[in-house]
Amino acid sequence: MEYFKLLKSLTRGEKRYFQLLNSRYRLEKKSNAMQLFDVYSEMDEFDKKKLSESLNDSKIVNNLAFENHRLGKLLIQSLVFYSSGISKLKEDSLDLYRYCEVLYKKGHYEACYTNIRKGIASAKRKESFTIAIQFLDLKRHLLNQLYDIRAINNFHDEMISINTEVAQLLEKEQLINQLNQISTNLYLLLLKRTGLNNSETLDSTLKTYKNQLLSLEGNLQSNREHISYYSAWNYYYLIKGNLKKCLETLELTEERYIDLNKDYYSFEYYLKTRYNIISMLGNLDSELQKQNLEAFSSMKIPKNYSSLKKLHENLFLSMKVASLYSDGEKEKVVALKGRIDKFIVKHIGKSNLSTQYLTLFIFTHSLIDLRAYNKADHYCKIILEDFDKKMMQNYRAAILFLRLIIHYELENFLLIKSYADATYWYLKSNNLYDEIDKLILNWCKSNLTRSNPKKLIEKIEELNRKIEKQFGAEYMEQPYKKLYFFGFKEWFQYKQSQSIP
């Protein structure tokens, strides 16, 4: 239920404001919407039976769809008012524009003119160029009315000034859109660049975007233009692997925009970019990674941005888990179980961040490495059943492979063949299946369906010889190949070390 979830996300301040706004003018019985609001507020999960028992009012229960819709509309109205500053009688550019429209329609032209001037100044200060253009367009109509009423002397100059100002603001907005388009294209390129680093096409494309950005640099004036510009460069440098430049542009972003305006979208972009850079530093410079991780953990999130706070918690937890795992501190990864259950498992389905998937995968892998197979299988089920099946298909494939190891260790030998078949069909249907997978899955079906430790070691060595013969000796040493990624190589080595007297 969309509106129930929205209601449960309200902060204490938002809830109090909703109650004040919708309890006016009613001295006796509460409205149906308010009764429904009170009942929902007491629920942790939506329960229609509990709802019927609590209300004891057939009119509300029998018209539940309508009453839910009505409550939802009131919630949306209340949240819009609250977030715009109306609840605190603050001046908001968009609300002020609507007020000016009301004044204009009522014929209060002098008051409208005064408020338009305030609105233009406010919108420019906040760099809300589109809203500033709306104010100027309304000012055009207003000047026509004032000219008819009192024949203002500078009408011609005012109109020319408005046209000039609108043209300047449109130019700024168009430049921002152009920069955002380059940034988005680079981001999409970043997502699919794996294996294409030496491609001439990629180099040519990057060169085109680089030249476009360099040509636009001299036109930047506002903070919004700069933030869009730095955003595009960040993605460019991430593709190129130049982390030093990434950090430089990120610091420019922080100095110019984030700390000054606390703009929601810029802060969200900042968090994600900082996360990407710290993640990459883990493979290149552990000391610099630790410094950035500390800076990230102490970052202050603007008030009233609950989703940003959750994003920050998730990203920090993900980086912490990845950092500990890369340092070989798997016991410390497993010690984060409480936080993983609280910040990831509890919120699965409410937000499908790829970082949540990755964190839970590493956590599960750590449990397997520490031989906690029952617990590992529990989190395997969570990954396979609760996360979106379209997300992170490589990791889903990895989990399916790892379950073969888990159930062998748990001595659930009768399940091995079924799990191997399920893994095969998943890989085939998602175009992930190749010859090495075929070799390993056939080996699992033949050798993991019974307990014979001594024979297993012989079969592991036999499989390694086959892989070396078929794919080359260097295949076994490449850390990003599937055999290593899925954990079989480590497990093979562990089983072999067990057999040494």
Side-chain angles (χ1 to χ4, degrees):
M1 277 191 59
E2 180 188 347
Y3 294 135
F4 179 79
K5 290 179 181 178
L6 181 62
L7 189 153
K8 299 305 292 183
S9 73
L10 297 183
T11 63
R12 186 181 296 177
E14 289 167 344
K15 193 176 287 189
R16 183 173 176 274
Y17 180 70
F18 176 84
Q19 290 168 323
L20 287 171
L21 187 67
N22 292 286
S23 298
R24 297 169 299 171
Y25 318 124
R26 283 185 174 269
L27 300 177
E28 298 176 3
K29 187 181 177 183
K30 288 184 177 181
S31 67
N32 289 353
M34 286 306 297
Q35 290 183 59
L36 205 51
F37 177 86
D38 290 341
V39 174
Y40 283 159
S41 295
E42 297 299 319
M43 288 183 183
D44 292 324
E45 300 289 339
F46 180 75
D47 186 334
K48 193 169 182 179
K49 184 179 178 182
K50 187 177 178 181
L51 180 68
S52 300
E53 292 171 356
S54 300
L55 288 171
N56 290 322
D57 189 334
S58 58
K59 289 182 180 179
I60 297 177
V61 176
N62 291 340
N63 295 290
L64 189 58
F66 171 77
E67 297 297 349
N68 276 328
H69 180 73
R70 196 176 188 183
L71 173 62
K73 292 295 182 186
L74 292 173
L75 280 170
I76 292 168
Q77 182 189 62
S78 172
L79 284 169
V80 170
F81 284 178
Y82 186 87
S83 63
S84 69
I86 291 176
S87 63
K88 304 173 188 69
L89 298 178
K90 288 183 180 177
E91 197 172 81
D92 179 83
S93 301
L94 191 55
D95 294 319
L96 188 56
Y97 172 75
R98 288 170 179 155
Y99 176 54
C100 288
E101 281 190 314
V102 171
L103 290 172
Y104 181 87
K105 289 172 184 175
K106 287 181 175 290
H108 299 308
Y109 300 126
E110 298 290 349
C112 183
Y113 187 76
T114 301
N115 282 284
I116 281 176
R117 290 176 64 184
K118 287 166 63 178
I120 292 170
S122 172
K124 283 183 176 179
R125 188 171 61 253
K126 295 176 181 178
E127 299 187 349
S128 303
F129 302 130
T130 304
I131 297 174
I133 291 168
Q134 286 180 284
F135 273 113
L136 287 163
D137 191 48
L138 183 56
K139 188 178 177 181
R140 279 196 187 105
H141 296 288
L142 184 62
L143 284 174
N144 276 312
Q145 289 292 349
L146 290 174
Y147 181 74
D148 291 339
I149 295 168
R150 54 184 173 84
I152 52 177
N153 296 324
N154 61 340
F155 174 80
H156 184 264
D157 292 340
E158 285 265 23
M159 281 297 198
I160 290 176
S161 175
I162 287 172
N163 286 342
T164 303
E165 210 168 348
V166 167
Q168 290 171 347
L169 293 172
L170 278 172
E171 194 175 317
K172 289 178 186 291
E173 200 62 55
Q174 286 166 0
L175 179 56
I176 289 166
N177 287 332
Q178 189 178 353
L179 288 165
N180 286 340
Q181 188 173 359
I182 294 171
S183 182
T184 302
N185 289 339
L186 284 166
Y187 173 66
L188 293 173
L189 200 60
L190 175 67
L191 291 180
K192 61 178 183 180
R193 74 178 174 82
T194 309
L196 300 173
N197 289 339
N198 297 320
S199 164
E200 289 182 11
T201 305
L202 179 68
D203 291 339
S204 172
T205 305
L206 285 175
K207 188 176 180 180
T208 301
Y209 288 131
K210 180 182 179 180
N211 291 336
Q212 286 179 13
L213 288 171
L214 290 172
S215 69
L216 296 172
E217 185 178 14
N219 301 328
L220 307 177
Q221 296 176 27
S222 67
N223 286 318
R224 278 186 63 207
E225 289 167 311
H226 277 91
I227 197 72
S228 298
Y229 181 72
Y230 295 142
S231 169
W233 277 116
N234 259 300
Y235 289 131
Y236 174 84
Y237 289 130
L238 278 171
I239 294 170
K240 298 289 283 185
N242 190 337
L243 298 188
K244 183 180 177 182
K245 282 288 187 182
C246 276
L247 288 168
E248 284 178 12
T249 51
L250 204 61
E251 283 161 10
L252 287 168
T253 299
E254 188 174 4
E255 289 169 13
R256 178 175 285 273
Y257 209 87
I258 302 299
D259 284 345
L260 291 174
N261 293 288
K262 301 296 185 189
D263 175 75
Y264 183 96
Y265 301 106
S266 296
F267 211 102
E268 183 178 63
Y269 152 77
Y270 175 82
L271 288 174
K272 289 179 179 177
T273 307
R274 180 67 83 170
Y275 166 79
N276 285 332
I277 292 172
I278 296 171
S279 298
M280 291 179 75
L281 284 170
N283 297 321
L284 300 172
D285 190 327
S286 59
E287 190 57 41
L288 197 54
Q289 185 202 42
K290 287 175 183 175
Q291 292 173 16
N292 277 273
L293 199 55
E294 287 173 11
F296 194 91
S297 67
S298 60
M299 190 180 295
K300 292 181 180 178
I301 307 300
K303 292 180 180 178
N304 302 323
Y305 290 164
S306 58
S307 59
L308 272 186
K309 187 172 176 60
K310 287 177 184 175
L311 176 65
H312 179 260
E313 288 166 348
N314 269 287
L315 293 179
F316 177 67
L317 181 58
S318 178
M319 288 188 293
K320 186 76 175 170
V321 166
S323 176
L324 289 170
Y325 189 83
S326 65
D327 290 340
E329 300 186 78
K330 294 164 188 177
E331 292 86 356
K332 290 185 178 179
V333 172
V334 172
L336 292 170
K337 179 183 181 300
R339 293 184 66 188
I340 286 169
D341 286 341
K342 180 180 178 181
F343 294 122
I344 295 180
V345 176
K346 188 178 178 182
H347 296 285
I348 291 173
K350 296 177 183 176
S351 63
N352 267 329
L353 284 169
S354 59
T355 53
Q356 291 181 329
Y357 210 134
L358 179 59
T359 304
L360 206 54
F361 175 81
I362 293 174
F363 178 72
T364 304
H365 214 305
S366 299
L367 288 169
I368 292 170
D369 290 344
L370 295 174
R371 320 305 161 204
Y373 295 113
N374 275 310
K375 289 180 181 178
D377 194 48
H378 169 71
Y379 286 97
C380 284
K381 288 177 184 175
I382 291 173
I383 291 173
L384 295 172
E385 294 173 10
D386 295 346
F387 277 101
D388 188 336
K389 289 179 173 56
K390 295 178 181 177
M391 289 186 66
M392 307 294 282
Q393 290 179 344
N394 276 339
Y395 288 96
R396 295 186 73 85
I399 288 295
L400 288 168
F401 265 102
L402 288 172
R403 290 194 88 186
L404 295 171
I405 295 173
I406 289 170
H407 286 284
Y408 174 83
E409 293 290 359
L410 293 175
E411 298 185 357
N412 296 328
F413 305 119
L414 294 176
L415 297 175
I416 300 293
K417 186 177 182 301
S418 297
Y419 279 126
D421 288 340
T423 305
Y424 164 77
W425 286 110
Y426 178 82
L427 293 172
K428 284 287 283 186
S429 62
N430 289 286
N431 297 317
L432 298 170
Y433 191 66
D434 59 25
E435 288 301 313
I436 188 71
D437 298 323
K438 181 179 179 181
L439 193 62
I440 293 173
L441 284 173
N442 286 336
W443 182 90
C444 290
K445 288 168 76 170
S446 300
N447 299 288
L448 298 184
T449 53
R450 64 187 68 84
S451 178
N452 192 336
K454 289 183 180 179
K455 194 78 171 174
L456 182 67
I457 303 305
E458 292 176 18
K459 293 296 182 181
I460 286 173
E461 290 169 354
E462 185 182 315
L463 177 63
N464 281 334
R465 285 194 295 273
K466 279 186 180 178
I467 292 171
E468 188 173 334
K469 182 179 179 181
Q470 191 167 339
F471 300 99
E474 70 279 359
Y475 188 96
M476 303 296 290
E477 303 305 321
Q478 293 181 29
Y480 298 109
K481 292 293 184 183
K482 285 186 180 181
L483 182 64
Y484 182 96
F485 177 73
F486 290 151
F488 272 82
K489 184 176 179 181
E490 293 93 329
W491 185 67
F492 287 162
Q493 290 171 344
Y494 165 69
K495 299 307 285 186
Q496 287 170 320
S497 68
Q498 275 188 318
S499 66
I500 298 171

